[in-house]
Structure formats: structure tokens, C-alpha cells
Amino acid sequence: MSRTSRFMRSRLAPAVAGAAALALIVTACGPAGGDSDDSTGGDADGGATEFSFLTITENPQISEELTRLSEGACADANAALPLTIESIPQAEVNNRVPLLASQDALPVMFISPTTESKVGGDMYESGKLLDLEATFDELGIMENVLPAAAETVKTIYGSMVSVPFQYNIEGFWYNKEVFAANGIEVPTTWADFKEAAATLDAAGLQPLTAAGTQGWTITRYLSSYLARSQGVDALQNVVAGDAGFADPEYLEAIQEVASLGEAGYFGEGLTSRDSDTMTSQFFAGNVGMMYNGSWTLSSVYDEGQNPLGPDAFGFFPFPEVEGGSGSIADYPANTGTVTALSADLYNDKVGDWLVCISENYGSSLMENQGAISGFAQNTEVETPELVSDIVGQMEGATGAVIWFEAPFGARFGDAAGTNAGPLLDGGISPEDYASLLDEAIAADG
Amino acid sequence: MRSVLGDRKTIILLLAPALLFYTAIKVVPIFWSLGLTFFEGNVLRGFTPAGFANFTRLIGDSNFWESLTFSFRYAAVATVLQVSAGYLLALLYVFALKRSSVIVRTICFFPVILPTVAVAQLFKRLFAINPQPGPVNALIEFFGGQSIDWLGDATTAFWVFMIMDVWKSMGFFAVLLFAGLVDIPEELIESARIDGANGLRLVRHMIIPLSLPVLLAAVVFAINSTFKVFDSVIALTNGGPGNDTTPLTLYMFRTTFTYNEYGYGSTLALALTVVAFLITILVFRSSRRDITASGGAKK
């Protein structure tokens, strides 16, 4: 071997090794796909190349119905812009969606964090959310949206940021047979309600169920009680600084709800109970009443979940609080989790999807899942009795009650939800719970 | 090979990619995070300078102190239990089972390789109260007791964490400590036995001092992993009931990614780093003192 080639080897070998190692790292750290545009689902003009939907694992209702539409009524829209669905746990929405937004990597349609999607919230103010009112007007499909549903979206979020895939009212589901067997009438006042619970308890039945791991199943009692006792503006008065949760009339709501837990009406293991267990307890006939939304209809009509059949259950509104300024005709209403669209990825093909959804979703959801959406039913669908009853209650609603966490920030939602279970099982006193809420409001700013 | 590895340029070239990689994914984010402690905002809203406001807030934040206290309590109890259980197992391997310990070692090591979330789900079912009582509550009911909502109470939830942690990690510490124990010369143990040291006396005066370095390494490992506990908490209690089982790591994560306060989240991360650093220094200093003490005794 010559001196030159030995020199070349001794010099070149490490250089080549180093370069190869660097190349390996650069390759490993690079994007998985060749075209970085792919990650955002964008075409050359920045519009969507697929109808990508990021949804939550806990609620497959929307994704199931969209899949059904993509194979039927919306097949043309799907051929032009194929539907793709990705699911994440609800608990990850607050973390992942803002990060995706900051990286310009949002899908076409996505579940967006509630607090951040309101006017003034970071998602809304970033301009990433499509103005659905303007878009629906432009597409001429606003008439396919139920006015009450559109109004509910705008009341809660300050703007039309969410597609009204659901339109729900909330109240108590009850077991008709259990009520009849114990001579209980549907309660219309809080005193009647507590008496009904006491009767069931005395009969050896569990009067109520809730899920401690899903704080909203408990905090809804608070917002509803306050709406009945202080009127539908009760929470807005707190936002405005005119009231606080430590005020006697607000504290009374917390104490009243805590007293239900203190009496043992929610059964054993409330704090660690999840929402699946809650609904399965109820449909198994072991529980008298369960606070939940009209979305439960799809479970009521699902034989797999409800072995007792739909006739075994009924629905009544949150009872009136004697002497309160609210009305029993004011219903807690919502349009489900925020389902927003990316302003950046919107194009004509996305518009075609929206037109098709607005024309068909309402009827399709009712026909296949027995659930009510915020879209008009453009095709005649046979409506079961219970559904008609709930639709009747929706139509008779005189005012909308917003849910407990809706007007507040993320810290409030966390404080209210994580401490709701302990509030009922005595782990935290009503006074301390009220303080935590007021502190969280101050921390949210 | 010697000529290649003896060349400074070669060393630099071979190390550079790894160093660059390490710098890019470790060092840069650390300094980035350090910088963020002087800002408030998030990736969507943007960042505005906040001076020392985040540090002032940290001192007055009761949630920070509560989560730090929980982290300390968790790390202290879990470390003691994990290392003790591992040490007892290692002693069992070496002195009782001897050469037939392979199967037991394998069985005890099995939980170590299981995903934490899967283990947490397993323990959730074990200690469940509904929809049906889990095996633990079923046993309590069998003996006439009343079911306990283990994960619904801060105290009982803490002990479920401890049992789960010990079950999952004792196999690892047993193997680690086993390696240290088999290194102890057989003759030393034999001579101690001849001098009349048996059982507890042998362990206390011979085995523990001779395995002290590996025991300290195990303590460092244990503190390191338990102080940073995160995934098992998320999977088992999600920090509840209330915030009673929320360690500093989870509080930091929520502050940053749920409340979108990147500046304050970074300040919490810095506090966590400083505390972890102090604990590491403390452990290493105490280990050095111990070695010096044993060296002095030999003289």
C-alpha cells in the first residue's frame, strides 16, 4: 500500500464515518414523509387534500355518522376529498390541539378546547378557527341549522365556532319502573327531588349515580341549581364580578348538592367511578336517577347498552328551587364538544362536505342513532316516543342554562371537576370548594 | 485502531454527531425553557417579558408547595420500599435460592418490562370498588368487612401507588443488587461465619457494608425515577381525588399544556430540576462520606 493511499485512508476514514453518522442523524430527525405539506393535509394553495377529522375517543357518534355519510349521501364529496378520522382521548384535546395550531398542523375539522375556542380564547384569537356563520351564509346552508342550536353556540362561545353536530338539553333520566314501584311522582321541585331520593334510599336502592372521574356529571347539579335559584345569569354574574361562590346564595347550591353525597345517595366508590360505569349502573336498573344529556338517547335505544329497553326510562328537567328566580322551563343546552374547522385549510371541497353534512346529518343521525343534532331533519324520519318527548321539551325551553365551567377558564374547570367527587364524599367541605373556585377564577384572570 | 482513536480530529468527528444530537434535543430545550421562565404566554398567544414575576408567583403558589411535598413523600417512601424489597429479594437469590434462583429472578423481573399504563390498569381493577368490587375488596367483603374506595381517598390511593411501584420495580432492584452481592468474595463471608456471624449479624456487619456502593447506586436510581413519577399517576388517579396525588411533574405538565402557561410551566420545570439536582448532590455526598468512614475503620 502506498504512503498516499495510507494517508488518504487515515484522513478519509474518520471524515467519511463522521459524515455518514451526521447523515444518519439528519435522516432520522427529518420528517417521515417526503413532502412537508403532507403533514398539514394542504394542497398547493394551502387548502385541504383530505377531509381530516380529529375527534375524541369517548364519543364516536360524529365519526360513525360521518363515515356512514361518506359511504352514502356524501359519497361525491368523499370522492373529491376523502374522509380520514383520527381519535384522541378527550383529556388530550387541551394539550394537543393548541400545539397543532401553533405548528400549522391542524386537520380540516377538529375537536377544539372549549375555553380557548371562545371569543378572547387563544384558539379563537389566533384566527385559526373558521367563521362558520359567514361560511354557512356564503354556502347558503344556514337554513339547515336549527336557529336554537346556532343561538346556543353563539351564546356559549360568543361566535359560531362549532359545527352543531349535537344539540342537547340536559336533565334527569329516571327508571320508570323503580319510580312506580315506590310510588314516586316525577319531581318538579328540589324538595320533591330530595324526597324521591330519600324514598329510594329507604327502599334499599341507590337513588343517584354520577362519575367522580368525570367532574361535569356532578358540577352540572351546581349550575342547574344556581340557574333555578338565581336565574340563568347566575354564572355570568360571577364572571362580571357581581357575585362569588362564597356568597351565601351560591354556597347554598354547593351545600345542597354536597348534602346528596353526604346522605350516601350516589353509592359506594363515587370518586373513582367513570362515566361508562355510571351509565351501565343506570341501564342495569340499579339506580333511580342519573343526570345526563339528551345524547343518552342513543344509548337508550341501543339494546347492547340498555337491556331493559327504551320504555323503562324517562327524562325530566332539573327541578325548580322553591323561591328561586329561575324557571323549570330553562334548560341546560349545548351543542356537544367544540367541533371547529381550520380557516387555513378551507377550500371549495371542504365547502361541499359542509353542504352535504348540513343537508343530511340531522336525518341520518336520528335514523341511525336516535340522537338529535343541531341540523334540520330534511328527510322524514320516524321518531320514537321518548325522542318526540325530548324534542317537545327542547321546543318548549324558554331559556338556555350554560354549564358550570363554560364561562370560566381552564383552572376553574380543573378545580371544579377534580374536586367534585371529594365534595360529594366529604373529602372537601362546601366552603373549601367555594374558596377553590373563587381562587381559580382569580388565577385564570 | 489505536492510531484512529488516538487522532484528536477523529475523536471530534466521531463524537460530533452524537454531541450535536444531544445538544439539539437536550441542551437547547433546557436553555430554551430557562429563557421562558422570564416570559409569560404560549405558542398561540405569543410571549411577553415577565421579569421575575414567575418566580415570585412560584413562592406564593400553594399548589406548587403541595405538589412538591407529595413528590418528596412519594420519592422517600417509594425509594425505601423499592430498594428494601429489591435487597431482600437479592439476599433470597444469593443465600437461599442460590443457583436455582434463575426462575424466581425471571418471574420477579417480569413486571419491570410491562408498560406502566398496563400495570396501572391492572391495579385499578385489583382495587376497584365498582362496577364490581375488585379482588382486594372482594376479599375484604369475604371476611365480613366493607369495601373501600381505595383510589377515592388520598391516603389509601397513596398506598396503592406504593404497592404498585414496589411490585413493578422490585425485580429491577433485585437484579441490580444481586450483581453487587455476588461480587462479595465467598471467603470473606465464610470467615465471618467461622467467627460466629450468622443470619442478621452477618447481613448487618458484612453484607450491607460490602454491598454499600451498589446499594447507594440503587437508591440514586430509585430516587431519580420516583421523584419524576408521572405516567403511573396519570393512569391510576390522574392526580386525584382533587389534587391530593398530584406530583410536581403533573402540576408542571398541566400548567404548561392544559392552562397554556408556558412561562410559569418552565419555572416549575426549573424548580423540579433544581430540587432533583440538590437531591443528587446530597446522595452522592453522603455516599462519599460513608466510603471514607469505612476506609477509616479499616485503618
Side-chain angles (χ1 to χ4, degrees):
Chain A
M1 191 178 286
S2 70
R3 279 183 66 186
T4 315
S5 66
R6 238 193 338 261
F7 171 80
M8 288 295 281
R9 277 185 64 178
S10 66
R11 291 278 174 179
L12 272 179
V16 169
L22 259 175
L24 193 68
I25 286 169
V26 170
T27 311
C29 294
D35 185 358
S36 60
D37 271 347
D38 285 350
S39 62
T40 61
D43 62 11
D45 301 324
T49 54
E50 56 186 24
F51 192 59
S52 47
F53 177 36
L54 181 70
T55 185
I56 50 172
T57 317
E58 290 86 342
N59 184 0
Q61 190 183 72
I62 305 172
S63 51
E64 280 176 17
E65 214 48 54
L66 286 181
T67 304
R68 196 172 282 119
L69 288 178
S70 73
E71 292 160 355
C74 299
D76 289 346
N78 189 55
L81 201 65
L83 172 72
T84 57
I85 295 170
E86 187 192 344
S87 299
I88 57 169
Q90 185 159 19
E92 281 184 23
V93 170
N94 279 4
N95 314 330
R96 273 186 65 178
V97 174
L99 271 180
L100 289 174
S102 72
Q103 296 160 355
D104 286 330
L106 282 172
V108 174
M109 191 161 72
F110 50 93
I111 303 296
S112 191
T114 306
T115 312
E116 305 300 337
S117 305
K118 287 188 290 193
V119 172
D122 290 339
M123 284 294 289
Y124 181 84
E125 298 300 331
S126 71
K128 303 279 183 191
L129 307 184
L130 185 68
D131 180 349
L132 290 172
E133 190 169 19
T135 307
F136 282 14
D137 278 337
E138 194 184 321
L139 294 169
I141 56 171
M142 204 60 194
E143 62 190 24
N144 289 329
V145 179
L146 299 177
E151 206 50 46
T152 303
V153 175
K154 286 191 273 186
T155 303
I156 294 169
Y157 306 108
S159 173
M160 185 87 179
V161 292
S162 178
V163 183
F165 279 116
Q166 293 183 352
Y167 183 44
N168 310 302
I169 56 169
E170 295 170 10
F172 284 99
W173 290 91
Y174 70 102
N175 187 319
K176 285 181 180 173
E177 284 176 28
V178 165
F179 266 43
N182 291 279
I184 301 170
E185 294 286 320
V186 168
T188 53
T189 66
W190 183 249
D192 290 346
F193 175 78
K194 287 195 2 175
E195 199 180 312
T199 307
L200 292 171
D201 191 45
L205 289 155
Q206 185 179 319
L208 295 160
T209 184
T213 59
Q214 298 284 316
W216 68 266
T217 61
I218 299 164
T219 57
R220 293 292 212 271
Y221 282 74
L222 298 171
S223 46
S224 299
Y225 187 97
L226 284 169
R228 297 291 186 256
S229 68
Q230 304 301 312
V232 288
D233 294 331
L235 296 177
Q236 293 297 352
N237 291 338
V238 178
V239 175
D242 297 334
F245 286 99
D247 293 353
E249 58 272 31
Y250 283 72
L251 187 59
E252 177 199 293
I254 302 172
Q255 286 167 333
E256 281 295 320
V257 175
S259 72
L260 301 175
E262 199 182 339
Y265 293 161
F266 290 90
E268 285 182 336
L270 165 75
T271 311
S272 57
R273 193 182 301 151
D274 58 27
S275 51
D276 284 345
T277 307
M278 173 184 82
T279 45
S280 65
Q281 270 186 338
F282 181 69
F283 286 124
N286 300 329
V287 172
M289 297 174 274
M290 170 181 74
Y291 186 95
N292 219 325
S294 51
W295 60 83
T296 308
L297 276 171
S298 50
S299 304
V300 170
Y301 285 97
D302 181 347
E303 286 175 16
Q305 289 188 63
N306 176 15
L308 300 178
D311 293 339
F313 300 102
F315 181 84
F316 66 87
F318 196 93
E320 236 162 11
V321 173
E322 298 87 336
S325 53
S327 158
I328 198 165
D330 298 331
Y331 277 87
N334 67 64
T335 50
T337 40
V338 182
T339 312
L341 270 91
S342 161
D344 295 336
L345 292 178
Y346 181 78
N347 59 19
D348 289 347
K349 291 175 182 175
V350 176
D352 291 343
W353 256 108
L354 289 179
V355 171
C356 185
I357 288 170
S358 73
E359 288 171 351
N360 299 288
Y361 191 87
S363 308
S364 184
L365 184 71
M366 175 59 72
E367 186 177 355
N368 297 299
Q369 301 195 47
I372 303 156
S373 89
F375 289 110
Q377 291 177 33
N378 292 329
T379 312
E380 195 69 32
V381 179
E382 195 181 333
T383 313
E385 189 189 336
L386 188 56
V387 178
S388 301
D389 177 34
I390 288 175
V391 170
Q393 292 187 45
M394 278 177 171
E395 287 167 356
T398 54
V401 177
I402 51 172
W403 70 88
F404 198 56
E405 297 83 355
F408 303 106
R411 282 182 188 273
F412 179 91
D414 227 22
T418 54
N419 291 292
L423 173 70
L424 292 190
D425 76 1
I428 183 171
S429 70
E431 290 76 15
D432 287 346
Y433 187 78
S435 302
L436 280 174
L437 297 182
D438 285 334
E439 283 168 19
I441 291 171
D444 279 325
Chain B
M1 182 57 85
R2 177 172 292 198
S3 67
V4 172
L5 293 179
D7 182 6
R8 186 184 290 268
K9 280 183 186 168
T10 309
I11 294 169
I12 291 170
L13 267 170
L14 287 173
L15 282 180
L19 270 177
L20 273 174
F21 187 64
Y22 179 81
T23 307
I25 66 160
K26 280 274 189 187
V27 181
V28 171
I30 287 172
F31 281 99
W32 198 296
S33 173
L34 193 66
L36 282 178
T37 58
F38 299 102
F39 288 85
E40 71 99 20
N42 61 45
V43 285
L44 273 177
R45 194 167 61 227
F47 294 92
T48 48
F52 288 93
N54 287 325
F55 294 94
T56 319
R57 183 177 161 188
L58 183 84
I59 293 163
D61 183 359
S62 60
N63 287 331
F64 163 69
W65 294 108
E66 281 166 21
S67 55
L68 183 67
T69 307
F70 178 79
S71 290
F72 268 122
R73 194 156 62 95
Y74 190 103
V77 179
T79 299
V80 169
L81 294 178
Q82 283 177 355
V83 176
S84 304
Y87 200 63
L88 288 173
L89 268 180
L91 290 172
L92 185 80
Y93 297 160
V94 177
F95 297 107
L97 301 172
K98 296 184 180 168
R99 291 192 191 284
S100 59
S101 71
V102 181
I103 294 172
V104 182
R105 278 206 321 256
T106 311
I107 291 169
C108 290
F109 194 80
F110 178 65
V112 178
I113 59 165
L114 291 176
T116 310
V117 175
V119 173
Q121 289 301 324
L122 175 76
F123 273 76
K124 235 180 178 173
R125 297 287 171 267
L126 269 178
F127 288 89
I129 187 166
N130 51 43
Q132 282 89 35
V136 175
N137 275 327
L139 204 66
I140 291 173
E141 285 178 11
F142 179 77
F143 287 107
Q146 209 173 10
S147 285
I148 297 167
D149 189 4
W150 293 92
L151 300 175
D153 177 81
T155 311
T156 47
F158 180 79
W159 288 107
V160 174
F161 272 121
M162 291 303 112
I163 295 167
M164 184 178 87
D165 249 17
V166 171
W167 182 77
K168 179 161 167 48
S169 56
M170 67 180 180
F172 169 76
F173 289 104
V175 168
L176 188 74
L177 295 162
F178 173 76
L181 290 180
V182 292
D183 265 357
I184 298 173
E186 188 69 27
E187 307 84 64
L188 274 178
I189 294 170
E190 274 308 309
S191 58
R193 278 192 175 131
I194 291 164
D195 290 342
N198 271 313
L200 271 181
R201 283 185 67 193
L202 182 71
V203 171
R204 192 179 156 197
H205 296 291
M206 289 295 296
I207 310 294
I208 290 180
L210 287 171
S211 59
L212 203 57
V214 73
L215 206 52
L216 279 166
V219 169
V220 172
F221 268 123
I223 289 179
N224 210 9
S225 61
T226 53
F227 195 71
K228 293 188 299 188
V229 64
F230 181 79
D231 45 1
S232 55
V233 175
I234 289 266
L236 201 62
T237 63
N238 198 24
N243 290 321
D244 290 345
T245 59
T246 301
L248 193 51
T249 47
L250 182 56
Y251 182 50
M252 175 189 76
F253 178 80
R254 279 190 182 150
T255 304
T256 311
F257 297 110
T258 304
Y259 311 143
N260 282 310
E261 294 182 34
Y262 282 48
Y264 189 54
S266 296
T267 314
L268 290 169
L270 179 66
L272 183 70
T273 310
V274 169
V275 172
F277 185 63
L278 289 176
I279 291 172
T280 311
I281 289 176
L282 204 72
V283 171
F284 274 106
R285 285 193 65 157
S286 61
S287 71
R288 205 160 50 209
R289 203 162 40 236
D290 277 332
I291 289 164
T292 315
S294 63
K298 275 176 194 169
K299 285 174 190 174

